[in-house]
Amino acid sequence: MTDCDLCGVGIPTVAPVRVFKPKYAHSYPNGMWQGLCEPCLDSANKVNEEIAGASCGTAGKCVLCGAIAQLFDVDIKRPSFSKGEDEDTVQLCKQCLSSIGEAHERWEDEKAEEEAHH
């Protein structure tokens, strides 16, 4: 079991996303792997497609990489013992959203190949 790095849900398989973390730039110059569940991946990819040409956003610290940059809101659902799930908003930078877009394409391709084999 592994946990999604955005919502914290524990699932057997997450989609790998390579994220460049400025804090670890010397140790991991090509980025570090983060894991996202499919609903978080889809939600972040949707925001990535919507902001393709946008340059405005809220200044702050990215939840995934920790960089101080322009951030964009991504709606996610966190697991909750009392309600089942709580809606929440996390803020991600454009670079992380771009990485998530690439990971989403790879994830969809892998799913399509898997379905073709069955």
Side-chain angles (χ1 to χ4, degrees), residues 23-35:
K23 182 177 180 179
Y24 301 106
H26 296 293
S27 301
Y28 300 97
N30 296 324
M32 297 173 69
W33 291 104
Q34 300 287 109

Side-chain angles (χ1 to χ4, degrees), residues 71-84:
L71 305 175
F72 300 91
D73 291 340
V74 176
D75 296 324
I76 62 168
K77 295 182 180 178
R78 292 190 189 277
S80 167
F81 289 112
S82 61
K83 300 179 198 171

Side-chain angles (χ1 to χ4, degrees), residues 13-90:
T13 312
V14 291
V17 178
R18 188 182 298 243
V19 176
F20 179 77
K21 295 188 175 192
K23 182 177 180 179
Y24 301 106
H26 296 293
S27 301
Y28 300 97
N30 296 324
M32 297 173 69
W33 291 104
Q34 300 287 109
L36 300 183
C37 65
E38 198 161 350
C40 286
L41 186 72
D42 292 339
S43 182
N45 185 57
K46 181 180 172 188
V47 171
N48 182 47
E49 291 172 352
E50 290 173 0
I51 63 146
S55 62
C56 62
T58 307
K61 191 173 182 180
C62 179
V63 172
L64 227 88
C65 71
I68 296 174
Q70 294 295 326
L71 305 175
F72 300 91
D73 291 340
V74 176
D75 296 324
I76 62 168
K77 295 182 180 178
R78 292 190 189 277
S80 167
F81 289 112
S82 61
K83 300 179 198 171
E85 57 187 24
D86 286 330
E87 292 190 17
D88 195 6
T89 302
V90 295

